[in-house]
Amino acid sequence: MNDEATTPSDEQEAIDPVTLEILRNQLESVATEMGHVLIRGAYSPNIKERQDCSTALFDASGRMVAQAEHIPVHLGAMPDAVDVVLQKDPKPGDVFIVNDPFAGGTHLPDITLVSTIAPNDEVIGYAVSRAHHADVGGSSPGSMPPGAKEIYEEGFRLPAVRLVDGGEPNAAVHDLIRANVRTPDEREADLRAQRAANERAEERIGELLEEHGSTLLDAFDAVIEYSRERVETELDALPDGTYRAQDILEGDGVTDADILITVAVTIDGASVSVDFAGTADQVAGNLNAPLSVAKSAVYFVVRAITDPEIPPNHGCYEPVSVSAPAGSVLNPDAPAAVVGGNVETSQRVMDVTLAALATAVPDRVPAGGQGTMNNLIIGDRAGEFTYYETIGGGFGARPGKDGMDGVQVGMTNTLNTPVEAMETEYPLRVERYALRPSSGGDGRYRGGLGLERTVTVETDATVSLLTERRRTAPDGIDGGKDGATGENLVDGEPVPAKASVDVEAGSTISVRTPGGGGHGDPAERDPEAKERDRQDGKVNDR
């Protein structure tokens, strides 16, 4: 590079602050509009109702420029998928599909489409959409078998291949996918929605390029540099040191043996390194998590303890390094089963990283949240339907507020499936959907309440449960009490946290989700707040 070459910081100086803010908002609006197109165009309730999907824009070198505020565990791992695609020499008109957790993916149900953005036949960036598909084959409906020991049991596995080649659909790949899933028409429709979302991005970026010219490309660098500087400023204000914590996962679906997650977080000036040395070796079951998933959880925590107004893009990641031993549960070797790593292990990585930082920034860290996504999958082996849902629970109490009741916590950000949609789309009947009184930990500030969801299955089906915090409660903090553990029931009888059960028509499935931990001494809780809790039915009368 010659001495006169332009650096990102030079470009940022060349764009005045007002123009930069306009361009940043326009780019984020494109990512958000992608999400709207995907959600409106999807066929499966998991995407159109629960919004279990994410969208983002990347520059030509594979750096995230803008994202919609969707699913944290999706977004932090997206750069790895784009990195893999860049190795495939992408051309204008190409759309790559990937779900391989060992080559850019997270777990097999999360299918990522990476499309080139080339409005003038030159690739200037990438549109990326990731969506959780309700079935991708494998040994059980929903593709999340609790007892899986190899990734081959979890569904079809695609490295980055061209779904569209230079504008022409690759019929062979479409046929391969359809032949390996239980609900092929639904998969095809959802993939079309993802393609439409990516195409909308190319259209909108083309319009912005016409409006702003090369300033738009300069803005890619400028917004990334702006976020990096903001994050570094925030980190530099934190107390230097190494902070440690550990926690466990409650078995891997093969055995009930605890799985240790341990972390050392080192803050050194304007950078932070997160090391998971000492974490358990990879396990026989499916709680192994690709390193990209661990990175997603760490990135989420860094955003949670810094200014939430910082634009989320590649610049937020640059001051952060994440490492885990090869062959560990957070960096497994193929062909390890991993489907639970994305949904459950990611939650524990977030929990343990926040716990480590509670010493450094106690005023920014809540008590333990529910620590699980409470995955419930119901489907029939004939492939007539597959229902998938993650169920909300208690958010941990905060230093100055109660925790939120019945919400998604941490690495997921989905909605629920409305009862009306659920009963219309599936042979299911919702018997109960309610908050669990007294499930939030007591404290000066009360932990959020868990939920109870009871469903009657109106046909013979297979039920899979992939859950956590059934025997280890979400922690209270600063004297607050722990939240309640969760519970899974089939026809009123308890079943393990990770289980697959064949049921007959008329069976009931109940998922009772954990509550959040409390914050502060319960004796210091405002008496008026206690009375409101009683009147609102949030605590059982004693």
Side-chain angles (χ1 to χ4, degrees), residues 16 44 157 164 174 197 231 285 323 392 421 457 478 496 518:
D16 68 87
S44 67
R157 178 179 168 195
V164 179
H174 283 273
V231 168
S323 61
V457 186
D478 195 25

Side-chain angles (χ1 to χ4, degrees), residues 170-185:
N170 187 338
V173 174
H174 283 273
D175 291 345
L176 178 67
I177 294 169
R178 291 184 62 89
N180 282 280
V181 300
R182 293 178 177 82
T183 47
D185 291 342

Side-chain angles (χ1 to χ4, degrees), residues 495-515:
V495 296
K498 300 162 186 72
S500 186
V501 183
D502 290 327
V503 300
E504 296 180 351
S507 297
T508 60
I509 316 302
S510 295
V511 179
R512 298 171 180 168
T513 69

Side-chain angles (χ1 to χ4, degrees), residues 329-355:
V329 74
L330 299 183
N331 190 7
D333 297 323
V338 298
V339 73
N342 189 61
V343 289
E344 296 302 296
T345 307
S346 66
Q347 295 281 78
R348 197 63 69 253
V349 172
M350 179 202 70
D351 286 345
V352 76
T353 307
L354 276 172

Side-chain angles (χ1 to χ4, degrees), residues 20-266:
L20 178 60
E21 185 68 6
I22 291 170
L23 286 165
R24 179 184 70 80
N25 278 279
Q26 287 179 320
L27 291 168
E28 290 182 5
S29 293
V30 173
T32 299
E33 187 176 353
M34 288 174 66
H36 293 329
V37 171
L38 172 51
I39 290 162
R40 288 200 305 269
Y43 185 83
S44 67
N46 191 53
I47 300 173
K48 71 179 180 181
E49 300 286 358
R50 293 187 57 248
Q51 301 181 16
D52 195 346
C53 58
S54 300
T55 51
L57 295 173
F58 286 73
D59 69 6
S61 62
R63 299 179 303 167
M64 184 186 286
V65 175
Q67 67 179 52
E69 294 291 354
H70 287 152
I71 313 297
V73 77
H74 287 177
L75 293 162
M78 273 187 180
D80 285 4
V82 179
D83 286 346
V84 169
V85 167
L86 288 174
Q87 299 170 22
K88 304 288 184 176
D89 192 24
K91 300 290 196 302
D94 285 351
V95 180
F96 286 82
I97 183 170
V98 59
N99 76 337
D100 185 352
F102 299 101
T106 50
H107 66 174
L108 296 180
D110 282 347
I111 297 179
T112 304
L113 295 193
V114 180
S115 304
T116 56
I117 297 176
N120 296 320
D121 292 325
E122 179 183 354
V123 177
I124 62 171
Y126 298 89
V128 184
S129 58
R130 175 167 285 172
H132 184 115
H133 287 247
D135 187 274
V136 291
S139 64
S140 67
S143 311
M144 299 183 73
K149 296 181 180 179
E150 293 182 311
I151 195 169
Y152 310 116
E153 300 175 64
E154 298 177 339
F156 75 81
R157 178 179 168 195
L158 285 172
V161 296
R162 285 176 171 83
L163 187 69
V164 179
D165 190 348
E168 294 297 321
N170 187 338
V173 174
H174 283 273
D175 291 345
L176 178 67
I177 294 169
R178 291 184 62 89
N180 282 280
V181 300
R182 293 178 177 82
T183 47
D185 291 342
E186 186 176 271
R187 298 290 66 71
E188 191 77 30
D190 287 347
L191 288 173
R192 284 199 301 269
Q194 285 185 253
R195 281 186 57 191
N198 290 11
E199 289 167 1
R200 179 64 60 87
E202 183 173 48
E203 177 185 342
R204 291 290 184 254
I205 292 297
E207 292 170 357
L208 292 177
L209 196 59
E210 289 183 3
E211 179 182 353
H212 299 289
S214 62
T215 302
L216 177 69
L217 304 185
D218 293 342
F220 288 178
D221 288 320
V223 296
I224 290 171
E225 181 71 6
Y226 173 72
S227 291
R228 183 187 62 77
E229 291 179 351
R230 290 279 305 277
V231 168
E232 287 182 339
T233 298
E234 292 272 321
L235 293 175
D236 197 42
L238 302 181
D240 285 355
T242 297
Y243 306 93
R244 304 178 187 275
Q246 63 181 39
D247 205 335
I248 62 163
L249 293 160
E250 302 169 336
D252 62 358
V254 175
T255 78
D256 290 332
D258 292 345
I259 304 166
L260 181 66
I261 308 291
T262 184
V263 69
V265 181
T266 300

Side-chain angles (χ1 to χ4, degrees), residues 141 182-184 186 379-387 425-427 459:
R182 293 178 177 82
T183 47
E186 186 176 271
D380 68 330
R381 294 189 179 278
E384 296 296 325
F385 80 99
T386 303
Y387 155 80
E425 296 279 354
Y426 305 111
T459 186

